[in-house]
Structures are given as structure tokens and as C-alpha cells.
Amino acid sequence: MNKIWLCLAHMGGQEQKFIQEAFDTNWVVPLGPNVDGFEHDLEEWFGKNAGHSIHVVALASGTSAIHLGLIMLGVEKGDEVICQSFTFSASANPIVYQGATPVFVDSEPGTWDMDPTLLETAIKDRIAKTGKKPKAIIPVYLYGNPGRIAEIMEIANRYEIPVLEDAAEAFGSEYNGQKCGTFGKYGVLSFNGNKMITTSGGGALICPTEEDAKRVKFYATQAREPFPYYQHEKIGYNYRLSNVCAGIGRGQMLVADEHIAHHRHIHGRYVKELNIKGITVFTPNADKESNPNYWLSTILVNPKEAGFTCSDLMNYLATKNIESRLLWKPMHLQPVYQNAPAYVNGTAEKLFNQGLCLPSGPMVSDKNVDYILKQIQDFSTNFNQ
Ligand SMILES: *Cc1c(COP(=O)(O)O)cnc(C)c1O
């Protein structure tokens, strides 16, 4: 049996056509019609029910989108930026690129995303300790879960702190019918190989106005001023998505709905069929408005009840050619961030110690799920004999 991977890219079939077009028209140079087309597709997709206009800039990665978002918000040396602790390091690293300091806020157990109460505690305490407000808030939709974005927006608006949503894992997730990535001032998308849709590598920044989008494009193309020669008044970056990669993105947009439906289907099967003592399949206990994309299906293993740990299970599944992975290790526990202020309630650390991601991508078939379920069942039975 071939190895079952956590989340492999899946091509719908039309991607080659868009790439071929780029070659045929000699638009292999960085920008071109596929970039415009892909941005347009994303604007249509995210604009639905956003309640405001949407302007999307296609970029080289989700990480570069976060970086440019912070630049647009004026984050600089000496500033503090609040970031969810339970996430991938790419959510926080660009704060440091800007010479600013991340302030980590823990999650709440019901949704695994930023705890709004703790967020407000952190804001108040930073103001008391430093005399100024944090410059931005980065909530993350972990594993595609919309979390408590309405409450986070209410707090952010009350303190007048802009929100940069890290929706890298949440393509297609909705809250109250509105797409994740359209709630804050800026929204970040990733099209890395393992995300909901891919351009092999890429990302995008969702902006509130045409003017903002223009400014993002300016920074993403080396900050060239409109002169007949190369004139620079700002530090720029080479962060645009290439026209070839954008062609893959246009093809992926044609199958985005199918991908999301497949991820939700697999999660539904785990929920229904994984009935083992000590194992719970995570379904966020958020408001009914919340509609996750279930990018990755996750489980918690209670070692006292199950008789084994999530690492035991992960190692066993590996011997059966099944890739699974421990949950993200929280940023406040990372050696590189040991000196960053953190507001912690123990949730992310507990989840990190007990949780596992199971194969969830569009390349995971129903037969694969049958096999995975059987291996987990066998392991549990044998381990407890
Ligand atoms: C993947 C990811 C990113 C970074 O996106 P890249 O395209 O890989 O740079 C940022 N935040 C989260 C939560 C992610 O999962």
C-alpha cells in the first residue's frame, strides 16, 4: 500500500492549461494575466457576504503576506504585536523581521483559537506595563477553525487596534456566512503545497481598499518609485507571486469547492466512525455561525483512558505507512521565543501534549480512511491486551 500522507496537493486538471497559456504568450516573467486572473478569482470568492469591498494581492507566500500586512500597519522597532501562541512559527516570525516584539496569547479549549478574555487581559496589561497599545493583533484560524472571531473583533475595535487575520489554514472557512480572512483590516492566505488549495508555493494579502492593494504591490516589487530610472525612497521586497504559479492557482480555484467538501467529508467520517476509549475527534464547540473547512482533522488522546499517548499512536501509524503529526508546538514554549511576553492559561500546552493530526487531504480516499480507522482500532486493542 502506498503511503498515506497528511495533506498532499491535488491537481484538478485545468492547472496545466493556464501554465501552458503563460508559456505560449511568453508571460513566464513574474507578472502577467494569470496573476490578475487569480487575484480576480480570489476577490469574487472572498467578496461574497464580506459586506465590504475586497482587494487581493497575490504574493510569494503566506509568510510574506503577514510581513507586508505588518508593514502596512506601520509596525516597527519598539512596537508590540499580539499573536496567537498556538500556531505555526510563520504567524509570528514577521513580527521579528520588523524589529517588533511578539506578545503571545493562549487559546480557549472550545475552539483552540485565541481566547478573547485573555486577549483583553493582555491588551490591558501591555498598556499598563509599556504605556502604549499593541500595534496589531494576529488571530489564527488553527486547522481552519473560525474560533471566536466576532468577540475578538469587538475587543479589537473597542481598543482601536487593527487585526491581521492569519487565514492561511482557513481557505473556505466561514463565520456567519462570511469568509475567514475578511473580518480584520488585512487577511492572510497561503497556497503552500499542503494547504487547502496550492500554487506549489504562494500566498495573498486581502486588503480593504484599492489604494492599500496598490501600496502592497509597491512594497512587493522592490518599492520602485514612478521615475524613468530606479528611484527608491522605501525598503522594498521581492514578494510577488509568479505568473506561472498563479496559473496553478487559477486551476485550483475551479476545484476549491470540491477540496473543501472532501476535507469536511473526511472529518465527518472520523467523527462518526472513530469510537475508541480515550480518543476524541475534535469538533470546535463554537457558535452555530461557525463553519470550519476542516483542513486537518485532529484528535485528542487522553493517555489515562486510552492507555497510550498520541506519540505512541503516531509512531505506530508510521509503521503502517500512515503519516500523522503532533499538533503545533505553542510559540511561548519555543526556545526562540522564550523571552517574549506571554499570556497563558495552559490550553495550548495541554493540546500539544495530547493531540494528533490525521490524514485529511483530497488525496485521502474513503478506502484510505477505512484502513486508517482499522489501524487505530488494532493498535488500541493490542496495546490494551
Ligand atoms: C502555512 C502557514 C503560514 C505560512 O504560509 P506559507 O505560505 O507557508 O509561508 C502562516 N500561518 C499559518 C497558520 C500556516 O499554517
Side-chain angles (χ1 to χ4, degrees), residues 117-277:
T117 311
L118 203 52
L119 167 65
E120 185 158 11
T121 304
I123 294 171
K124 283 185 180 157
D125 196 51
R126 295 329 291 167
I127 295 172
K129 286 208 167 89
T130 69
K132 64 177 190 176
K133 285 189 290 192
K135 202 71 180 263
I137 300 167
I138 306 180
V140 183
Y141 299 110
L142 212 67
Y143 305 114
N145 174 12
R148 303 220 174 263
I149 190 61
E151 286 154 75
I152 288 170
M153 288 311 301
E154 188 278 316
I155 294 164
N157 291 337
R158 191 146 40 78
Y159 286 89
E160 298 182 315
I161 303 172
V163 168
L164 172 62
E165 295 166 85
D166 183 345
E169 301 178 0
F171 188 98
S173 298
E174 293 173 345
Y175 187 87
N176 215 358
Q178 183 178 340
K179 295 272 192 302
C180 291
T182 65
F183 288 86
K185 175 129 197 221
Y186 294 99
V188 168
L189 306 175
S190 167
F191 310 118
N192 207 336
N194 56 358
K195 296 287 157 72
M196 185 59 83
I197 65 164
T198 186
T199 58
S200 79
L205 191 65
I206 301 177
C207 305
T209 66
E210 175 94 55
E211 209 185 349
D212 282 308
K214 271 201 183 129
R215 198 67 185 156
V216 172
K217 289 175 190 171
F218 164 80
Y219 279 115
T221 52
Q222 310 287 20
R224 287 189 300 227
E225 301 291 342
F227 283 78
Y229 43 84
Y230 285 95
Q231 167 93 357
H232 302 283
E233 294 164 15
K234 297 274 182 202
I235 294 294
Y237 302 86
N238 183 5
Y239 276 175
R240 274 299 240 164
L241 186 68
S242 86
N243 195 51
V244 172
C245 290
I248 305 175
R250 289 180 86 180
Q252 289 276 286
M253 286 304 283
L254 301 172
V255 289
D257 281 321
E258 271 168 57
H259 281 193
I260 295 161
H262 190 74
H263 283 251
R264 286 180 176 147
H265 166 71
I266 289 189
H267 175 262
R269 283 206 58 192
Y270 286 134
V271 168
K272 210 162 129 213
E273 299 173 54
L274 192 51
N275 300 308
I276 292 170
K277 194 164 155 260

Side-chain angles (χ1 to χ4, degrees), residues 11-19 247-248 250-252 254-255:
M11 293 295 123
Q14 298 297 308
E15 291 84 358
Q16 298 260 8
K17 190 189 100 197
F18 292 108
I19 296 172
I248 305 175
R250 289 180 86 180
Q252 289 276 286
L254 301 172
V255 289

Side-chain angles (χ1 to χ4, degrees), residues 78-113:
D79 287 334
E80 289 188 338
V81 174
I82 289 183
C83 182
Q84 185 164 317
S85 180
F86 196 25
T87 186
F88 179 42
S89 64
S91 305
N93 288 342
I95 301 169
V96 181
Y97 302 167
Q98 283 308 98
T101 304
V103 173
F104 293 113
V105 171
D106 211 329
S107 292
E108 53 113 22
T111 68
W112 297 12
D113 283 334

